[in-house]
Amino acid sequence: MLELFHGPTAAFKDLAMQLVAALSDEALSATGETLTLLTATSGDTGAAAVRAFAGAERIKLIVLHPLDRVSPVQRKQMTTVEADNVLNLAVRGDFDDCQRLVKGLLAEESLREQGRLSSVNSINWGRLAGQIPYYVSATAQLGQAATFVVPTGNFGDAFAGIAAKKMGLPAAGFVAAVNQNDALARAINDGVYARHPAVESGSVSMDVQAPSNFERLVYEASGRDADATRAVFETFAREGSVTLSPDLLAALRAEVSAVSVDEATTKAEIAHAHAAWGRIVCPHTAVALAAARRLDRNGAPIVALSTAHPSKFGAFVSDVLGFEPEPAPVIGALGDRPEQLTVIENTPEAALAAVKGSRRRADAHPLATLAQRSPVERLMAALIPSA
Ligand SMILES: *Cc1c(COP(=O)(O)O)cnc(C)c1O
């Protein structure tokens, strides 16, 4: 089990987000530009982004989350950060409303005039690049090629493994383990990529039915044929379903296999991991473990990626085990620190007014001293708190 959740918000997204933050800030200093990042979140991505970008000199981060619809832990991870470059907006609406408001803001001319605007979603290549070292480091520690089983939503983490292999990493194979939202698994196993509505599961961060990085996989598997790739995704967008050609399907299967794990099996796996190995695992990790135990052993070691600390999903875990997991140290440390958030109505006007009304405080923030260090020192400080 490759534990990737020892960052500041106890989820694997932290590591790559920290890298993207430090590198972006540095690149902006070189050009003298500033950047406003807007992101809608259902919890995890926003928390990792807030922790990573807090105190960045040239970047302002605005996170929209649905009021009262993220877990208290996720909300505190976003709202207890004392950084004057972070604005938390709690929208009276749901996640889709937040996403719609962000899209509107990104297209807003009067904001574009004030500087660069962008987003930190999972299509961002920097986030994928920052995940490649997981696979290199694990293989180096094992001293031999492994089969990696990756709990998968938007297919960013799994694609990073495939990228590592293309860079020369010896790897025995990759398995994308998805939950009951199985559009990707059906595409690879049955050859038909079809749109289905996403349903809520215990492994919420994987409730994705149109994984954005699947397009990258198709592009690579087609021999980087942009026309063929475009044809597949235009058909999918137009018809809601596309049949993959036998050649493309064979090439996809050479890169990755896919397994879908339902809710009952996910729960059974949490129970099994505890009974068999004394390990308490989060539902995302359980999906990967269940898929891993179904594999034929071909001699190569199997590495299941563990993407979140179980206490982030305490209710689901305690439902199975009958007790709450011990909080991760970074979660316990959140305590009752004061929270900062602005509640807004679910309208484009309210969102625009909140974004324009927020001004960076003039007084220097303690984190500003971070900017006086070299990018490598800042990265080390972000990744290893004692450095
Ligand atoms: C985001 C996330 C995933 C899925 O990663 P993708 O790169 O979107 O496939 C899995 N587990 C956890 C805990 C996550 O937060």
Side-chain angles (χ1 to χ4, degrees), residues 47 65 232 238 261 273 302 308 344 362:
H65 73 263
V232 167
R238 196 177 53 240
V261 173
I302 297 174
I344 62 166

Side-chain angles (χ1 to χ4, degrees), residues 11-13 44 131 151-157 205-206 284 307-308 313:
F12 89 103
K13 289 186 175 69
D44 269 359
Q131 290 166 358
T152 292
N154 260 322
F155 199 68
D157 200 3
S205 301
M206 292 160 36
H284 311 77
T307 47
F313 304 93

Side-chain angles (χ1 to χ4, degrees), residues 71 112 149 179 193 202 216 225 329 334 355 359:
S71 78
R112 295 203 154 268
V149 185
N179 63 24
Y193 183 45
R216 285 195 162 116
D225 184 336
L334 287 172
V355 169
R359 284 275 173 273

Side-chain angles (χ1 to χ4, degrees), residues 59-362:
I59 300 169
K60 177 165 175 170
L61 175 69
I62 300 172
V63 180
L64 284 76
H65 73 263
L67 178 67
D68 295 335
R69 295 195 199 192
V70 299
S71 78
V73 166
Q74 288 173 326
R75 190 192 67 239
K76 282 188 188 178
Q77 285 180 326
M78 294 188 280
T79 59
T80 60
V81 168
E82 285 181 51
D84 60 4
N85 68 323
V86 173
L87 175 66
N88 283 295
L89 298 178
V91 177
R92 291 189 201 281
D94 61 19
F95 172 65
D96 289 332
D97 295 324
C98 294
Q99 226 165 3
R100 204 164 22 245
L101 291 178
V102 164
K103 279 191 187 151
L105 289 167
L106 287 171
E108 178 65 43
E109 281 304 320
S110 61
L111 282 182
R112 295 203 154 268
E113 285 160 10
Q114 292 175 10
R116 294 174 66 147
L117 282 180
S118 189
S119 184
V120 270
N121 57 38
S122 60
I123 307 174
N124 189 316
W125 173 251
R127 287 189 50 197
L128 298 200
Q131 290 166 358
I132 291 173
Y134 303 159
Y135 299 90
V136 179
S137 173
T139 304
Q141 286 178 49
L142 286 167
Q144 59 176 313
T147 300
F148 290 97
V149 185
V150 189
T152 292
N154 260 322
F155 199 68
D157 200 3
F159 190 84
I162 292 168
K165 188 174 178 188
K166 296 216 178 285
M167 292 167 71
L169 182 78
F174 296 92
V175 180
V178 300
N179 63 24
Q180 57 193 330
N181 294 291
D182 63 353
L184 179 77
R186 285 180 191 231
I188 290 169
N189 295 327
D190 307 340
V192 179
Y193 183 45
R195 193 171 17 239
H196 300 279
V199 293
E200 202 177 310
S201 75
S203 46
V204 282
S205 301
M206 292 160 36
D207 290 345
V208 177
Q209 282 287 34
S212 40
N213 290 294
F214 184 45
E215 200 160 332
R216 285 195 162 116
L217 181 69
V218 168
Y219 178 63
E220 291 297 333
S222 66
R224 303 198 163 187
D225 184 336
D227 291 332
T229 304
R230 187 180 309 115
V232 167
F233 288 92
E234 279 180 356
T235 306
F236 174 73
R238 196 177 53 240
E239 315 279 338
S241 161
V242 57
T243 301
L244 307 173
S245 74
D247 283 355
L248 176 58
L249 198 54
L252 287 170
R253 288 175 180 167
E255 303 280 5
V256 65
S257 57
V259 175
S260 164
V261 173
D262 65 23
E263 285 290 271
T265 310
T266 304
K267 288 187 171 168
E269 194 63 31
I270 290 176
H272 176 266
H274 188 241
W277 309 311
R279 301 294 289 261
I280 303 172
V281 299
C282 88
H284 311 77
T285 305
V287 167
L289 286 175
R293 292 203 299 122
R294 274 186 215 167
L295 295 181
D296 286 336
R297 304 244 6 204
N298 58 2
I302 297 174
V303 177
L305 276 63
S306 178
T307 47
H309 190 279
S311 63
K312 282 198 95 170
F313 304 93
F316 192 85
V317 173
S318 82
D319 220 33
V320 179
L321 297 181
F323 60 88
E324 284 273 336
E326 282 284 310
V330 287
I331 291 174
L334 287 172
D336 287 325
R337 279 194 273 165
E339 297 188 46
Q340 285 186 6
L341 83 175
T342 307
V343 178
I344 62 166
E345 295 305 319
N346 174 19
T347 65
E349 296 75 27
L352 186 61
V355 169
K356 285 193 167 168
S358 71
R359 284 275 173 273
R360 211 176 163 131
R361 289 199 306 270

